[in-house]
Amino acid sequence: MSSATATKRPDGTRAPRTVRSARPRGPDFGAWFLVLPALLPILVLSVGPLLYGIALAFTDAQSGRTQATRWVGTLNFQDLLHDTLFWDSFRIGVVWAVGVTVPQFLLALGLALLLNQKLRFRWLARALAIVPWAMPEVVVGIMWRLVYNPDAGILNETLRNLGLGEGHDWLSGLATALPAVIVVGVWAGMPQTTVALLAGLQNTPRELHEAAALDGAGAWRRFRTVTWPALRPVALAITALNLIWNFNSFALVYVLTSGGPGGRTRLPMLFAYEEAFRYGQFGYAAAMGCVMIAAVSVLIALSLVRRLKGDQDR
């Protein structure tokens, strides 16, 4: 507890009281009780399973075993280093993530610039632009399977009506399966990128555009000198998030192709799923998950370093 003392001046008046510093207080447990309701689900549903999965990667856990699970150290990771099928799926995952993220960003940027203009029925266009975002991935996959159907799909019917051939089995062809799936990924993931970029555009002061226009700057120069510098932090953040989300994709590709044909669309998540739930190799699949966590962590670290450098430069 704090205490105060008063001293008398030579003229008899009292000097202001001096308050002694209070003793340091202990931890405020009341704040933890306020945070706990939000923290507990994260610990139970995210952190707990993550730690359990990492521990599982160092065991020989399998389905249907009658013997107790044993600790095998880094044996799963050693086997993983020589598993060419997994590294093929990892390469396909990188191609998928980059192949979806780059056109997704470019198309979303163009759409965001268009929706930022004063157009008639702009509210309707903005509402329609986020429709794919509102659809579950399973529904999107089923819908696009109908589009790509080799016999009655709208894509092949259009090609036949235009005299461009008899159509193609897009999802079963070795050369066309991955590009066809990438197109679906771009279409399904573009809305959230558009919304993020549109929000960044609306936060750019119009006075800067007006001043640049008065100086005689054209549309491209205004974009390069005014729009892009203001939009760059949002663009870097949403691109990093899209890379992570796309690399970890599962449901969309599973519904479309289940990893086929011949493993041409077998993403790392699909490969780990098959190892765990088709072949029962839980420990080995957990080791794959650890490798993917490490890859995603590298992406996050690079994004944070670049963000910190940008903040220091400003």
Side-chain angles (χ1 to χ4, degrees):
M1 298 187 53
S2 61
S3 61
T5 60
T7 58
K8 288 187 176 181
R9 295 194 180 99
D11 58 0
T13 60
R14 288 183 177 272
R17 292 177 177 269
T18 58
V19 181
R20 295 178 185 175
S21 60
R23 284 180 291 181
R25 298 175 61 186
D28 190 357
F29 292 103
W32 283 104
F33 282 110
L34 294 175
V35 175
L36 193 60
L39 189 61
L40 192 60
I42 297 175
L43 294 175
V44 173
L45 301 177
S46 297
V47 178
L50 174 63
L51 296 178
Y52 178 73
I54 293 174
L56 201 65
F58 297 92
T59 67
D60 63 349
Q62 298 177 8
S63 65
R65 280 178 62 108
T66 57
Q67 300 176 354
T69 299
R70 295 178 304 145
W71 184 268
V72 295
T74 60
L75 183 61
N76 288 325
F77 294 95
Q78 294 175 21
D79 293 339
L80 200 59
L81 287 175
H82 305 287
D83 191 341
T84 57
L85 292 177
F86 172 73
W87 293 113
D88 284 343
S89 73
F90 197 90
R91 176 184 56 81
I92 293 170
V94 172
V95 173
W96 155 267
V98 176
V100 171
T101 301
V102 173
Q104 193 178 84
F105 174 79
L106 294 176
L107 293 173
L109 178 60
L111 184 58
L113 290 171
L114 179 63
L115 295 178
N116 196 42
Q117 304 299 316
K118 294 182 179 180
L119 304 173
R120 293 186 63 183
F121 302 107
R122 182 174 62 175
W123 61 271
L124 179 60
R126 288 181 176 180
L128 292 175
I130 64 173
V131 167
W133 197 8
M135 299 173 65
E137 287 189 323
V138 173
V139 175
V140 172
I142 294 173
M143 182 184 72
W144 277 90
R145 280 185 67 92
L146 296 175
V147 171
Y148 285 135
N149 187 280
D151 299 321
I154 187 173
L155 179 58
N156 282 341
E157 284 293 327
T158 303
L159 293 177
R160 294 188 189 102
N161 293 335
L162 294 176
L164 299 178
E166 292 300 318
H168 191 79
D169 194 352
W170 300 96
L171 296 177
S172 299
L174 295 177
T176 59
L178 185 58
V181 173
I182 286 176
V183 169
V184 182
V186 172
W187 182 86
M190 197 169 64
Q192 65 262 32
T193 308
T194 302
V195 170
L197 295 176
L198 183 58
L201 289 172
Q202 291 179 337
N203 288 328
T204 305
R206 289 192 172 273
E207 294 80 5
L208 297 177
H209 289 278
E210 294 171 356
L214 290 175
D215 290 339
W220 169 246
R221 187 178 175 187
R222 290 199 304 271
F223 174 81
R224 185 170 52 86
T225 58
V226 178
T227 304
W228 179 247
L231 198 61
R232 183 165 50 190
V234 178
L236 292 177
I238 194 63
T239 301
L241 289 174
N242 283 340
L243 278 172
I244 294 170
W245 287 332
N246 292 327
F247 184 76
N248 289 327
S249 292
F250 173 80
L252 186 63
V253 180
Y254 182 78
V255 173
L256 285 169
T257 63
S258 298
R264 295 300 175 93
T265 60
R266 186 187 289 137
L267 303 182
M269 280 294 181
L270 282 171
F271 195 94
Y273 170 82
E274 290 179 352
E275 287 293 322
F277 299 104
R278 179 175 294 180
Y279 305 114
Q281 302 293 330
F282 296 127
Y284 193 54
M288 295 180 186
C290 289
V291 173
M292 287 181 279
I293 290 172
V296 170
S297 299
V298 170
L299 287 176
I300 294 174
L302 292 175
S303 176
L304 291 175
V305 168
R306 189 160 187 174
R307 183 67 181 268
L308 291 174
K309 281 186 176 181
D311 292 342
Q312 290 176 357
D313 292 339
R314 288 199 297 268

